Amino acid sequence: MRIARAIIFVMGSNELPRRSWRCLASIVLLLTLLRVSFSQTSASGQPGASTAAITLRVIVVNSEADAREILDRLKKGEDFGVLAKSRSIDPNAEDYGYLGKVDVATLRPELREALRGLTSGQVTGVVKVPGGYAILKVLPESEGSVGQGMSANRDLPLSGKGSIKYPADVAGQIIADLAFQKYPKPPGWEQDLREICEVRKQSLSTLEARLKNRVHPATPKVSPAEKSIDLIQAHYALAQVEAYQGNMDQAVAEWEAAYQIAVANVPAGAAQLEAVLGVAYLHKSELENGVYRDSGDKCTFPPRPGTGYDKVADSAKAVDYFSKYLAQKPDDVQTKWLLNLAYMTMGKYPAGVPEKYLISPKVFESKESIGRFVDVAPVAGLNVVSMANGVVVDDFDNDGLLDVMISSYDVCEPLHYFHNNGGGTFTDRAAQAGLADQLGGLNMIQADYNNDGCIDLLVLRGAWEFPMRKSLLRNNCDGTFTDVTKEAGLAVPATRTQAAVWADIDNDGFVDLFVGNENGPSQLFRNRGDGTFEDISRSSGVDKIAFTKGVVAADYDNDGYVDFFVSNLYGGNFLYHNNHDRTFTEVAERAGVRLPDSQSFASAFLDYDNDGWPDLLVNSFFFSAEESLRSYLGLPHSAETLKLFKNMKDGTFKDVTKEVGLDKVYAPMGANFGDVDNDGFLDIYLGTGGPEYGFLLPKVLLRNVEGKSFVDISSSAGIGDLHKGHGAAFADLENNGREDILTSMGGATPGDAHAFRVFENPGNEGAYENDWINIKLVGVKTNRAAIGARIKLTVENKGTGARSIFRTVSSGGSFGASPLAQHIGLGKSARMVNLEISWPASGTSQKFTNLSPNHFVQVSEFAKEYKTLTPKHFRFENKRENKKAGVAPSESTATVAGR
């Protein structure tokens, strides 16, 4: 890992997002192995001397003036690590600029020259490198990355974590992003979505042409043959470019060429290429059999009988290469798993898998079942095949039917706006709605930011890659949207982000916006109430620099003011307590939620035990399917599990992960929660997966057992799609009282684009027949969408006493957004449904008694009565019987308690 970071750093790619270090590790490992095999033997066949290495810290800044200022401060005695953490733009800033031990021979010439003659403790001058200005410090060999306030045993993202194994990159995203970053761009390109798309296409085309000319020149060179290692690298690079685009025939041909050269000249590197070719052939087989566009049950694990592929020649080649690799490394868990999956595609799992390599389907068996979910996206017309994407489900046109917004990681793909037709079908109206120019966007969140009664949308961009502007899309209440980002004050600066949340920080009735960025400070924008926002990031105290992957909001201490939790992929997490004066104090350590101390990702505030206090779910993410597999198999693992923190009602949280049965490594990139069995307890969906084509893990559905434990029902529910999970939402699309699961399955490259999935809830077809209620709140003094309002239901179930169920109006977790109207399960034979609502801006509450279950209810702030809504009901399989467009809900009136 240290070599990987050093090589990329000296190539001038300090802008490369941190995830890429993980993906790149295996490539660099392969190339390093090959270089060692080639270079450690001299022409005479004698071992060569080892190369000198030194331990370094680095600071990189954008301007020479900044670098000179920092150098002056260093000369005056300021700490190098502290300045690196606060000022450096390099990905190593969070670790106080620690690069680790670096082979001097691999450095750029200007860096080698700057370091010449320096001894331990000395600092270079300012060195111009591509992408910035660098200062390096030579450290004693014994000095680690531990800096001020850091624990000596923390996970060091620069050097990897213990024995975690990172897979080979077969997807090519890293090389495509490097090409984009180095390609010439006009000023202000990050604000122009069309320009970003063009640069992506042109940079990739240019890179592909150059690599083809290198590997397959029109005029063969007359000069002596290139070194084997150089040819292997060139073929490997071209293979990645082709794999990125999904051209797997060409990619496999290049990897095969590299493999033949390795076998003949540097056999020590051949084994790693066998693993690469196994993944490449498996992915090629998937594409050839159309499972990314027409999934059905073909990519669901465990497999159902008869779901093998029709064309299995490439799967057989994958089996052959995986078997060769395992013959040398029989304990490689991920390759064993991929071998099992390759046999699965051939219809030979589990019986056909060699016993010594078999991973039994029993490992993934569910102990409970609520029925099997079925993907209805094709019959519903939600037919999007896309890269990783965000999803928002809500009623954007106020017709009582839920619509679906889907974005894409593809910077050239427009936003999709699927209007609910009311008869079991959806129609993409993005062009008519004025959204055709809204390209890209890994995530989205919704709110009524201007309190006009229509749900608006914020599109978040740039995560993992490069700065891109956000888009605030104002709903015009007539079926169209207008991009008001610039006028609202949210366009500049462009950042890398997929994480944001709407919340009213000062209870003034307008939702404010918290944005968590990668390798940059978080941003807090106060809503002025006139359509514009004021950046109060610094004055509010939330502008800490981190690699943020999740932001969620809740009033965790029930003091009437919303707080924020920020999950960071590298370094500890933040909990910002609201001081009631538009400032916040970071209290994560004191509250006990700083962990996981590294690799935190999708998070959520949810009251899992229904005690009226928001608890906290923090998912860990390691770029290693092996760690998750080892966790399933009960083998020792190095990666940290997710964390569930129970709110102790005194400003602190208790880690109850093991107590509730969640102490596993799941590797989710997306996560959300809902109540799939209507028992009143919130269940959890985890969208697992990683960017590499071999990072294949079944999705996870965790049923909440009465707020005491969670049980994995993924297998019995049939939602274990093996491909890449991202945005997820829980929503009752059919208005039938059952929450379906909508989820993205696309990866990070065009070659990993996948069909969107809508898993229809089996409801009464399963083992649970529970009641429910759907409550839509309308704020008056509180923001119109009622974000932050709190709901308490008191219900009595047959054979039990009264119990309380609590919800807070929000759109769910930190990747994907459920409707703001709250669907709440009531359990079996619910009666005596009493409702209490607490409104944050007005500080008032309302109480209603004896509501009927299995209804849609609307409550306005201050109102003495609630409304019962009767929206259009339908079933997806009956779409031909429901050809009418959506019908607006009718209203009936019930009275408030005591009238």
Side-chain angles (χ1 to χ4, degrees):
M1 280 306 301
R2 291 171 182 169
I3 295 172
R5 293 176 181 281
I7 289 175
I8 294 299
F9 166 70
V10 298
M11 287 173 62
S13 301
N14 56 291
E15 292 296 308
L16 193 65
R18 288 191 172 188
R19 180 185 67 174
S20 301
W21 303 125
R22 298 301 196 194
C23 305
L24 184 67
S26 55
I27 304 172
V28 177
L29 175 60
L30 165 65
L31 299 182
T32 303
L33 283 172
L34 294 173
R35 284 189 182 281
V36 170
S37 301
F38 187 86
S39 64
Q40 284 191 341
T41 302
S42 64
S44 62
Q46 299 300 316
S50 61
T51 308
I54 57 176
T55 306
L56 298 172
R57 289 190 194 272
V58 65
I59 297 173
V60 182
V61 290
N62 286 316
S63 72
E64 184 175 8
D66 286 346
R68 296 287 177 196
E69 179 218 332
I70 290 171
L71 189 60
D72 287 342
R73 293 172 65 177
L74 291 170
K75 290 176 179 177
K76 293 175 182 177
E78 292 196 42
D79 184 88
F80 192 100
V82 172
L83 284 171
K85 184 174 177 66
S86 63
R87 298 290 299 277
S88 182
I89 62 172
D90 184 75
N92 308 314
E94 181 63 30
D95 277 274
Y96 298 79
Y98 184 71
L99 267 177
K101 188 167 285 189
V102 176
D103 185 342
V104 177
T106 66
L107 296 175
R108 298 179 64 89
E110 59 268 37
L111 295 175
R112 292 201 301 269
E113 182 61 31
L115 288 163
R116 187 186 301 276
L118 294 189
T119 59
S120 175
Q122 293 185 313
V123 175
T124 68
V126 175
V127 185
K128 177 70 173 73
V129 294
Y133 294 82
I135 304 168
L136 296 107
K137 180 179 181 178
V138 181
L139 305 179
E141 274 194 46
S142 60
E143 183 170 340
S145 70
V146 178
Q148 296 183 3
M150 298 176 68
S151 165
N153 64 357
R154 65 159 291 176
D155 171 35
L156 303 178
L158 295 179
S159 57
K161 181 177 172 67
S163 59
I164 290 177
K165 182 184 180 215
Y166 298 101
D169 178 19
V170 183
Q173 183 196 2
I174 302 163
I175 197 168
D177 284 351
L178 282 170
F180 182 98
Q181 289 157 9
K182 290 178 177 294
Y183 196 84
K185 296 178 277 292
W189 62 270
E190 67 276 7
Q191 296 290 330
D192 188 334
L193 302 181
R194 288 285 175 192
E195 182 65 34
I196 293 169
C197 170
E198 286 304 309
V199 172
R200 169 63 89 192
K201 292 189 289 189
Q202 293 169 14
S203 62
L204 195 64
S205 175
T206 300
L207 175 63
E208 183 177 15
R210 288 177 178 173
L211 286 171
K212 283 183 176 178
N213 186 56
R214 169 87 188 282
V215 177
H216 308 291
T219 304
K221 294 180 180 178
V222 183
S223 58
E226 291 182 90
K227 296 178 181 179
S228 298
I229 179 63
D230 295 328
L231 284 172
I232 290 171
Q233 288 184 61
H235 282 292
Y236 198 109
L238 181 54
Q240 284 188 299
V241 172
E242 299 293 359
Y244 174 85
Q245 300 171 86
N247 303 327
M248 294 308 296
D249 286 340
Q250 297 91 320
V252 163
E254 298 302 330
W255 270 311
E256 287 280 14
Y259 179 63
Q260 296 306 320
I261 297 169
V263 169
N265 298 282
V266 278
Q272 186 73 12
L273 279 166
E274 286 166 354
V276 168
L277 278 162
V279 174
Y281 273 112
L282 179 58
H283 192 70
K284 183 172 181 286
S285 182
E286 291 180 311
L287 290 176
E288 188 176 24
N289 285 277
V291 300
Y292 283 82
R293 290 184 172 273
D294 183 14
S295 304
D297 284 327
K298 290 182 180 179
C299 48
T300 301
F301 190 89
R304 305 189 86 179
T307 53
Y309 292 177
D310 296 326
K311 304 173 185 177
V312 297
D314 288 323
S315 293
K317 290 180 180 178
V319 165
D320 182 50
Y321 276 113
F322 288 141
S323 298
K324 286 181 180 179
Y325 183 80
L326 286 168
Q328 302 174 67
K329 300 186 178 182
D331 296 326
D332 187 304
V333 176
Q334 178 164 332
T335 304
K336 283 184 188 178
W337 167 247
L338 292 173
L339 177 69
N340 280 253
L341 295 184
Y343 275 110
M344 185 185 92
T345 66
M346 299 169 70
K348 296 181 178 181
Y349 174 85
V353 182
E355 186 175 354
K356 61 182 176 180
Y357 297 140
L358 176 64
I359 295 178
S360 172
K362 292 182 179 179
V363 173
F364 300 89
E365 279 184 349
S366 300
K367 294 180 181 178
E368 294 184 3
S369 174
I370 64 168
R372 190 173 182 89
F373 290 65
V374 176
D375 181 12
V376 295
V379 301
L382 292 165
N383 49 351
V384 172
V385 178
S386 174
M387 291 163 62
N389 52 64
V391 55
V392 174
V393 184
D394 221 313
D395 183 359
F396 286 97
D397 54 4
N398 291 330
D399 65 352
L401 298 164
L402 293 174
D403 310 301
V404 181
M405 290 277 193
I406 302 173
S407 61
S408 176
Y409 194 46
D410 184 344
V411 296
C412 295
E413 183 172 347
L415 191 67
H416 297 277
Y417 169 36
F418 285 98
H419 174 262
N420 191 329
N421 299 323
T425 64
F426 291 76
T427 301
D428 193 344
R429 292 187 179 176
Q432 299 94 310
L435 300 173
D437 291 330
Q438 294 298 323
L439 308 180
L442 185 54
N443 196 16
M444 303 176 290
I445 55 173
Q446 84 275 34
D448 183 0
Y449 81 93
N450 57 357
N451 288 342
D452 66 354
C454 300
I455 297 294
D456 312 298
L457 191 71
L458 181 74
V459 182
L460 304 164
R461 302 187 177 92
W464 300 121
E465 294 189 308
F466 32 79
M468 297 176 65
R469 75 167 176 90
K470 297 174 277 289
S471 285
L472 178 60
L473 304 175
R474 185 187 66 209
N475 189 333
N476 299 320
C477 303
D478 61 359
T480 68
F481 293 79
T482 299
D483 188 332
V484 296
T485 320
K486 185 176 180 180
E487 302 93 299
L490 299 179
V492 179
T495 61
R496 301 186 186 96
T497 184
Q498 69 179 56
V501 67
W502 295 100
D504 184 355
I505 65 167
D506 50 7
N507 289 335
D508 67 350
F510 290 91
V511 286
D512 311 297
L513 177 64
F514 191 114
V515 180
N517 296 307
E518 298 176 353
N519 281 359
S522 291
Q523 298 166 293
L524 180 57
F525 297 97
R526 186 182 74 84
N527 190 333
R528 293 190 178 103
D530 61 359
T532 68
F533 292 81
E534 172 191 8
D535 188 342
I536 60 169
S537 311
R538 177 162 294 185
S539 64
S540 66
V542 303
D543 61 336
K544 294 174 71 69
I545 296 174
F547 198 93
T548 297
K549 299 307 296 177
V551 180
V552 288
D555 180 6
Y556 77 89
D557 55 354
N558 284 349
D559 67 352
Y561 284 80
V562 69
D563 312 294
F564 295 107
F565 178 79
V566 179
S567 59
N568 302 312
L569 194 61
Y570 303 105
N573 302 314
F574 308 143
L575 178 62
Y576 289 110
H577 177 261
N578 192 326
N579 299 324
H580 307 181
D581 59 1
R582 297 178 184 162
T583 70
F584 292 80
T585 300
E586 203 286 296
V587 297
E589 190 81 41
R590 185 194 320 161
V593 294
R594 189 175 187 274
L595 298 175
D597 200 28
S598 183
Q599 309 298 123
S600 295
F601 208 102
S603 303
F605 275 112
L606 72 162
D607 185 357
Y608 83 94
D609 55 359
N610 275 331
D611 66 353
W613 293 76
D615 310 298
L616 183 59
L617 175 72
V618 187
N619 287 285
S620 62
F621 183 86
F622 289 77
F623 297 92
S624 170
E626 170 131 344
E627 287 297 294
S628 186
L629 292 164
R630 295 181 72 86
S631 180
Y632 273 108
L633 293 166
L635 299 173
H637 56 83
S638 299
E640 210 165 355
T641 69
L642 63 74
K643 297 292 182 185
L644 181 63
F645 295 104
K646 176 179 172 60
N647 193 324
M648 301 307 291
K649 308 177 186 179
D650 60 359
T652 68
F653 292 78
K654 176 186 175 184
D655 184 349
V656 295
T657 312
K658 188 172 183 179
E659 180 182 320
V660 300
L662 291 179
D663 53 334
K664 275 189 177 180
V665 179
Y666 287 107
M669 301 191 82
N672 214 326
F673 58 84
D675 186 358
V676 292
D677 56 0
N678 282 337
D679 66 349
F681 292 94
L682 291 169
D683 311 302
I684 299 169
Y685 174 86
L686 303 177
T688 58
E692 300 81 22
Y693 289 166
F695 202 130
L696 303 173
L697 290 172
K699 304 299 150 285
V700 178
L701 182 58
L702 300 164
R703 179 177 175 263
N704 187 336
V705 183
E706 298 181 347
K708 298 173 184 176
S709 64
F710 289 83
V711 60
D712 189 334
I713 60 170
S714 314
S715 178
S716 63
I719 57 89
D721 192 304
L722 290 163
H723 295 127
K724 315 307 170 57
H726 287 88
F730 286 74
D732 178 7
L733 287 185
E734 301 166 293
N735 286 337
N736 62 8
R738 303 192 294 265
E739 285 193 302
D740 311 300
I741 301 173
L742 296 87
T743 183
S744 159
M745 292 294 173
T749 70
D752 213 8
H754 194 284
F756 190 76
R757 295 278 227 170
V758 180
F759 292 110
E760 183 184 23
N761 193 318
N764 292 343
E765 298 168 16
Y768 297 90
E769 300 181 14
N770 293 329
D771 295 319
W772 54 273
I773 194 167
N774 187 292
I775 300 174
K776 179 180 179 180
L777 300 184
V778 179
V780 177
K781 185 173 182 181
T782 297
N783 67 89
R784 183 71 176 267
I787 292 173
R790 306 181 73 156
I791 296 170
K792 177 182 177 181
L793 281 168
T794 303
V795 61
E796 184 177 295
N797 298 109
K798 185 177 181 180
T800 66
R803 64 173 174 135
S804 296
I805 301 170
F806 297 88
R807 295 288 184 271
T808 300
V809 177
S810 74
S811 58
S814 57
F815 203 157
S818 303
L820 294 172
Q822 298 297 296
H823 173 94
I824 305 172
L826 301 175
K828 192 176 294 293
S829 302
R831 18 177 220 174
M832 197 188 78
V833 182
N834 298 337
L835 170 64
E836 183 176 347
I837 303 165
S838 299
W839 298 89
S842 64
T844 61
S845 64
Q846 292 162 290
K847 295 182 180 180
F848 303 90
T849 60
N850 296 321
L851 280 76
S852 299
N854 307 321
H855 283 85
F856 292 80
V857 173
Q858 178 174 305
V859 181
S860 294
E861 189 175 13
F862 305 123
K864 301 298 183 183
E865 301 173 340
Y866 65 85
K867 296 176 180 177
T868 300
L869 309 177
T870 54
K872 175 84 172 181
H873 297 275
F874 56 86
R875 288 185 65 85
F876 287 117
E877 62 267 33
N878 295 329
K879 62 176 183 175
R880 283 172 295 185
E881 298 174 16
N882 296 301
K883 295 181 180 178
K884 277 189 168 184
V887 178
S890 60
E891 300 178 351
S892 60
T893 300
T895 58
V896 70
R899 284 199 61 184

